[in-house]
Amino acid sequence: MKLFFSALITLALFLSCITMANEDKAKEQFKAEFLTRINKLRHDGCHCGTVSMPPVPPLVWNDNLAKAAKNHADDMFAHDYFAHNSKFGITPMDRAVAAGYGNKGYKRYILGENIAKGNFTIAQVMAGWIKSPEHCQNLMMAEFKEVGVAQVYSLWVQDFGGRTGFSASERKLLHNGHMRIVPNSTDNK
C-alpha cells in the first residue's frame, strides 16, 4: 500500500511538471507570436487610418508590462467591464507602476494601452488593432520601446511603455548637484 501511494505521488509530480512545461511553452509561443507580428508591422511601416506611419524600431517584451496587462484583463473579467480605467478608477499608469514598471530614475516615461474583447486569435486581434487608427498609432509609436500582452478568456490587453534614462553626463550633473529632478504628480508612484 505504501508503495502504491509513493508511485501515485511520483506520477502526480511527473504530470504536474509536464503541465507546467506545456504552460511555459504556450506562454513563450504567445509572446513570440505577438512580438513577431508587432515588430514586422513596425519594421514595414503602415497607414493608421489616413496617417502614414514610417518604420520604427522594434519592441522588446517586458514582463512587468505583461503583468500589468494580465492584472487588467483579470479585473475586467472579474468585474464585468471593458474600459482602460477600472471601475475603481485605476488607470493604465497606476497598473504599470504597481506591476513594477515605474518611472523613478528616468528622464522620460510614456505608456499606452490597447484593449480588445472577443474570441480572437492573435492574428485577428492584431488585425483589429491595426484597422483602428488610434490602436494602430500605439503599435507604431516610436517612443514605445517595450510591450506586454495578456489574454484572459475573450479579453485582450496590450500595454506599451517607453522609458528614457539619463545620459552619462546628465547622471554626473545630477550626482554633483549641478542638475536636479523636479518631481511631478507621477514621480511618487
Side-chain angles (χ1 to χ4, degrees), residues 107-123:
K107 178 168 53 174
R108 187 157 187 260
Y109 182 77
I110 184 170
L111 287 169
E113 183 174 78
N114 288 342
I115 58 176
K117 185 175 183 179
N119 292 314
F120 304 120
T121 64
I122 292 172

Side-chain angles (χ1 to χ4, degrees), residues 34-48 53-61 110 114 126 130 135-147 158-162:
F34 260 112
L35 280 176
T36 299
R37 289 180 181 281
I38 293 167
N39 288 332
K40 179 173 181 353
L41 181 72
R42 289 173 69 90
H43 176 269
D44 294 346
C46 67
H47 283 84
C48 295
M53 303 296 289
V56 292
L59 297 178
V60 296
W61 190 266
I110 184 170
N114 288 342
M126 280 293 295
I130 292 166
H135 293 98
C136 179
Q137 288 174 13
N138 272 346
L139 286 160
M140 294 300 297
M141 188 176 289
E143 292 82 6
F144 290 143
K145 300 173 183 175
E146 300 169 297
V147 67
Q158 184 177 55
D159 283 339
F160 302 93

Side-chain angles (χ1 to χ4, degrees), residues 2-123:
K2 198 174 189 182
L3 183 61
F4 173 74
F5 283 118
S6 293
L8 190 58
I9 290 171
T10 302
L11 179 61
L13 287 172
F14 176 73
L15 293 175
S16 175
C17 288
I18 290 173
T19 301
M20 286 190 299
N22 286 341
E23 288 174 8
D24 289 346
K25 185 177 178 181
K27 285 179 187 176
E28 286 303 313
Q29 288 173 337
F30 179 87
K31 180 167 93 172
E33 184 173 348
F34 260 112
L35 280 176
T36 299
R37 289 180 181 281
I38 293 167
N39 288 332
K40 179 173 181 353
L41 181 72
R42 289 173 69 90
H43 176 269
D44 294 346
C46 67
H47 283 84
C48 295
T50 59
V51 178
S52 178
M53 303 296 289
V56 292
L59 297 178
V60 296
W61 190 266
N62 182 283
D63 287 332
N64 293 335
L65 289 173
K67 180 180 176 183
K70 173 81 165 74
N71 290 345
H72 188 45
D74 283 338
D75 190 63
M76 286 193 293
F77 179 78
H79 296 100
D80 193 28
Y81 71 96
F82 182 70
H84 291 287
N85 292 348
S86 79
K87 284 187 171 182
F88 307 103
I90 298 169
T91 67
M93 175 79 73
D94 296 330
R95 287 189 297 275
V97 171
Y101 194 81
N103 60 353
K104 188 172 175 79
Y106 290 94
K107 178 168 53 174
R108 187 157 187 260
Y109 182 77
I110 184 170
L111 287 169
E113 183 174 78
N114 288 342
I115 58 176
K117 185 175 183 179
N119 292 314
F120 304 120
T121 64
I122 292 172

Side-chain angles (χ1 to χ4, degrees), residues 166-181:
F166 293 97
S167 69
S169 61
E170 289 169 329
R171 285 193 305 273
K172 186 175 179 181
L173 289 170
L174 284 166
H175 180 73
N176 293 333
H178 298 293
M179 186 170 95
R180 66 185 179 102
I181 299 171

